[in-house]
Each structure stands twice: as structure tokens, then as C-alpha cells.
Amino acid sequence: MHGIIFLALEDFLESRCGEGAWAKAMQGANLVEQRFSPDRFYPDEGATDLFAASAHLLGITQAQTLEQLGQHMSTGLLAMGRSMGLIQDEWRTLDILEHLSKDILSAFGNASTGVKPPDIRTYRLKQGEVAVAYLSARKLCALFKGIVLGMGAFFGEPVRIEERVCLLNNAPLCRLSVYLDDPNLKNRVDIVREFQTVHSRIQEIRFFNRFAGIPIVNQGLVLQYGAEEVLIQIQAESLMAMHKEGITHLALPHLPSGLQATVVRVEWRSGTATLRHIVSTDGPMGRRVSPRVAPNHPIAVECRMDKQTLRGWMANLSDGGLCIVLNREPLPCDAVMFAPIKVRFALPVQMVDTRTETDPVTKIVLDGNILHIDEKEERHHLRIVFRPLSVNDAHLVQAYYHGRRQYALRHLRAMIAETKQ
């Protein structure tokens, strides 16, 4: 275990119990002669004994001790992460969690000694929610929760943590959901300030809509803005998609999260739309590498994991993964997050170039991992992330997307031509 944790525990005990508390804890753990350095790693056994001795000294449970220690050391960890260039100045609690496994924890391993950082996997589900799978053999989930709560306090962000399953209860992992527990922080948008910024810089902003299951993305300009509404100008394809959906999503160059707006009026001659009721979305816009396409006809999907088979219908597909709406079958528990799964489905042959005229459909079998399970409208939505696709499978998925896109765009442009007549 990293020496930083031992030094933080010493400071924590001295601040809570006064001078001499650390010496008593060290004595209780039979580590009187041990000294700790912030740049070294130490056996986990010593830490376990020290945590138990500290809990006895404080008169609380070990889980409470670890959580309070995490809150105590969070400020120092933030300062260290920033000084090492691992944490950017503009990041806040959920931003740090989003980058935790890839950009932060990887710096704290030690290949020469075989020491590995804790296995904590995170995924940003929404602007105000991060899913966490904690699989570390050290089972210090309480320390992790304390650090998260401490970061929230440091940034002035109320944070709520829900733990659905836990290693300490003999589960294979801890499945946590970390929420930004303040609607005002999640949804507040200062319209005048934000749109004044892009208007004064004559910056284009990106607009996102869907038409016939495919994304319509174009750039537009802010012509006028006020406290209640914004007038924008954009291409006819996006105007028609906005008109049909009644809403649009926006990505402003300087905002880390996206916006959603209601489209209250469209002027075809001037190519403008009036937007109102502008709020923050559940996450950033325009960062998706792989565009998702929704089928225009039902596509059945079969999933196999361990000895269980699930059947449902495809909600959307990309070369990065897919979302499945499950039939009313027993739902996998949260413990299967990141579990391996095999999916089977068939794409309509008229949408892809398969170079064959014998099969009516193109059958695909792909490997992936369960990323998220959600319940919407009394149905279970299963999000699966693919393992790297073969060249042929990637070609089929991309060709299906492009075929669907061309079909939707032809329909969209026909509607625009009819409107202009």
C-alpha cells in the first residue's frame, strides 16, 4: 500500500485524538519500529492492523474510520494530483471520477515491485451521475467513498453515494452510483452569459438532433439572445429535424456540458429557429466517437452470459456498442457490471454490402461487456460495450449506419423541398 495513506492516517489520528494518538495506534498494530515514506509502498497487512487499531482508538467501526480518513485526506490528494498534472484545474468531483481509472490511478502503480493501483472502474452515465465498479482485493471501499465525499465538500458540491452491492457482503465487487445531489448545479444555465460569449466571439455552436433514427449534426450561429430565448440560424436539414423533434441539443465551445432547448418557432425563409427553456443536459455533447443509429424496423438480439440467455430488441447500435431493450425476463443484478457477454443479431442485407446474394440477412456474433443496466418505462435497457471488432464486423456495422443515414437524409431533403414549395 502507498505510504501516502499511512502518513494521512497519522495526521488524521493526531488531529482527532491529539498528540500521541499515532504512537498508540502503531503500538496496537505491533508496528512501533516502522517508519513510512510518501514515495514507497508497504505490505497491506500492516495497513489492515493499523486501521483496526485506529478504529479501536476512535471508538467507531473500521468502515467509519476509513470513510472519515478518506474525507480528511481528499484535499491533500487533490493538491497532489494537480501538482503531478493528473487532475486539471477545471475538473470537479464527477469529472475526476470520470478520469480516475485511465488518467489518475495508473500513475500510482509500481511495475518493478509488482504493486498495482486499486482496480476501480468508472463510467460517466450522465452529467450528474458516475457508475463505479470497485474490484480491489484490499476491500477499502469505505476509504474510496470518504475521498469522494471529501472532494464534494471541497468543491461545494453535495454528493450522494448509493452502494448496491459490496465486497464486504461477499459480492464479487462493490457497485456504486455517485450522484451530484443538487438540481440547481446540474441544470442551471445563465443564458445571457453563455450565449453572449459565443455571440461576441462570432463562434459557431453545434446542434444535435435525430431524424428517422440517425443523428443530424450541423453548426449554426447565434443571431440574438435574451434572458428567455435565443434566435439561431442553421442549415435546412437541422431546421427540419428540430421542427419534427420539437427540441434540439447544443454544444457551446466553452461549456463542458451540453444544453437542451425547446424549439418554439421555425422560419424557413430566413433559416432561423427560436429556442426557449434552455437547460443543462445529462452530459457533454459532441464527444461521441461512434455515432449511434436506431433501427427503423425491429431487430432481435440474443445475449449469452455464463449459463443465462437474454432476448430483446435493439434500441441503437454503433461500432462501439449497442443498447438492448430486454423482454420481461429475470434481470441480471448489478454485480454483473463489466461481465463478459456474447450478442447475436442480424442486420438487414439491403442496408449493407455483404457481397452475397444468397442470405436474406447478415448474421453477426460479437463479444462485449455489460456497461450499464437501466429501467425505463417498465423495460430494462442493457448497454453493452464491444470488445475491438474485426475488420469485417466493423465494416458491416459502419455500412449499416451509412445505409440508414442515406435513407433518412433522402427522406429529410424531400420534406424540405416540399416545405419550400
Side-chain angles (χ1 to χ4, degrees):
M1 189 170 296
H2 205 289
I4 292 172
I5 295 179
F6 294 98
L7 296 176
L9 179 60
E10 177 181 0
D11 185 68
F12 170 65
L13 288 177
E14 296 282 334
S15 66
R16 288 296 180 90
C17 302
E19 187 177 352
W22 178 244
K24 293 178 182 178
M26 291 285 284
Q27 185 175 8
N30 295 317
L31 294 172
V32 176
E33 302 298 326
Q34 179 71 62
R35 297 292 181 269
F36 298 105
S37 170
D39 56 358
R40 290 187 58 191
F41 293 84
Y42 299 89
D44 290 347
E45 293 78 9
T48 302
D49 294 338
L50 262 176
F51 293 147
S54 300
H56 178 74
L57 192 64
L58 292 166
I60 56 179
T61 67
Q62 186 164 315
Q64 291 172 323
T65 299
L66 289 171
E67 186 169 317
Q68 292 180 20
L69 170 62
Q71 290 177 284
H72 177 82
M73 64 189 296
S74 59
T75 302
L77 290 176
L78 287 170
M80 181 177 66
R82 284 175 171 170
S83 67
M84 295 173 65
L86 303 175
I87 298 176
Q88 298 181 21
D89 290 340
E90 65 270 21
W91 287 356
R92 295 296 180 263
T93 309
L94 299 193
D95 303 313
I96 293 171
L97 288 178
E98 183 180 11
H99 293 85
L100 184 64
S101 53
K102 180 181 178 181
D103 301 321
I104 300 174
L105 287 179
S106 58
F108 290 93
N110 190 320
S112 62
T113 61
V115 176
K116 297 180 180 179
D119 189 356
I120 305 175
R121 308 173 193 179
T122 62
Y123 182 73
R124 187 76 168 261
L125 294 174
K126 302 177 181 178
Q127 176 66 11
E129 180 184 356
V130 173
V132 180
Y134 180 98
L135 298 95
S136 177
R138 296 186 178 105
K139 298 184 180 182
L140 299 180
C141 46
L143 179 66
F144 172 78
K145 288 188 284 186
I147 292 172
V148 173
L149 293 172
M151 287 195 300
F154 177 83
F155 291 119
E157 299 177 324
V159 172
R160 175 167 54 91
I161 302 175
E162 291 184 3
E163 186 172 29
R164 303 181 183 184
V165 295
C166 183
L167 284 164
L168 300 178
N169 294 326
N170 298 318
L173 53 74
C174 295
R175 169 67 172 88
L176 308 170
S177 292
V178 183
Y179 299 95
L180 187 61
D181 200 24
D182 187 338
N184 291 327
L185 287 175
K186 290 189 292 185
N187 299 319
R188 181 178 179 275
V189 180
D190 188 333
I191 295 176
V192 173
R193 182 187 66 187
E194 307 302 355
F195 285 92
Q196 181 184 41
T197 299
V198 295
H199 185 266
S200 62
R201 297 174 181 174
I202 319 178
Q203 288 180 311
E204 290 186 320
I205 57 180
R206 299 179 75 191
F207 292 84
F208 302 82
N209 283 86
R210 297 190 70 82
F211 181 83
I214 64 109
I216 303 295
V217 183
N218 281 302
Q219 292 184 315
L221 290 171
V222 174
L223 301 183
Q224 298 176 12
Y225 60 90
E228 298 294 332
E229 62 183 36
V230 174
L231 180 67
I232 61 99
Q233 186 175 53
I234 197 169
Q235 297 177 21
E237 292 174 0
S238 285
L239 279 180
M240 179 59 74
M242 290 179 189
H243 176 66
K244 290 296 180 182
E245 276 199 295
I247 62 171
T248 188
H249 293 85
L250 307 79
L252 276 60
H254 65 285
L255 283 186
S257 63
L259 304 175
Q260 177 180 298
T262 300
V263 181
V264 296
R265 187 167 54 254
V266 171
E267 296 290 343
W268 299 104
R269 291 185 178 180
S270 59
T272 60
T274 302
L275 311 179
R276 300 194 69 168
H277 310 300
I278 302 173
V279 298
S280 179
T281 62
D282 284 337
M285 302 297 300
R287 309 249 184 110
R288 184 172 291 146
V289 176
S290 304
R292 296 176 183 174
V293 56
N296 57 342
H297 298 292
I299 296 179
V301 182
E302 180 182 270
C303 307
R304 293 182 182 273
M305 48 176 292
D306 289 333
K307 299 178 181 180
Q308 188 174 14
T309 299
L310 303 171
R311 293 178 176 86
W313 303 93
M314 184 184 297
N316 56 61
L317 171 70
S318 74
D319 57 11
L322 82 163
C323 181
I324 304 167
V325 181
L326 295 177
N327 294 330
R328 295 183 180 276
E329 299 183 14
L331 179 70
C333 68
D334 286 312
V336 302
M337 184 177 178
F338 298 107
I341 191 168
K342 188 180 292 292
V343 295
R344 303 170 185 266
F345 55 91
L347 293 177
V349 70
Q350 65 269 22
M351 290 298 181
V352 297
D353 175 18
T354 60
R355 296 177 174 82
T356 177
E357 298 179 355
T358 57
D359 295 330
V361 294
T362 302
K363 298 178 182 179
I364 299 181
V365 180
L366 299 174
D367 292 318
N369 294 83
I370 296 176
L371 193 61
H372 182 59
I373 303 170
D374 196 8
E375 185 173 352
K376 298 178 181 178
E377 300 175 353
E378 299 183 353
R379 293 279 184 172
H380 298 298
H381 288 62
L382 189 68
R383 170 63 59 188
I384 295 171
V385 59
F386 293 144
R387 296 182 184 178
L389 300 183
S390 68
V391 173
N392 184 61
D393 287 337
H395 166 74
L396 292 174
V397 173
Q398 291 167 5
Y400 174 68
Y401 168 75
H402 289 301
R404 287 279 294 109
R405 178 175 175 80
Q406 291 304 314
Y407 171 83
L409 287 177
R410 285 196 299 269
H411 184 39
L412 182 63
R413 288 162 183 164
M415 294 176 64
I416 293 171
E418 185 178 347
T419 300
K420 289 183 176 181
Q421 290 178 0

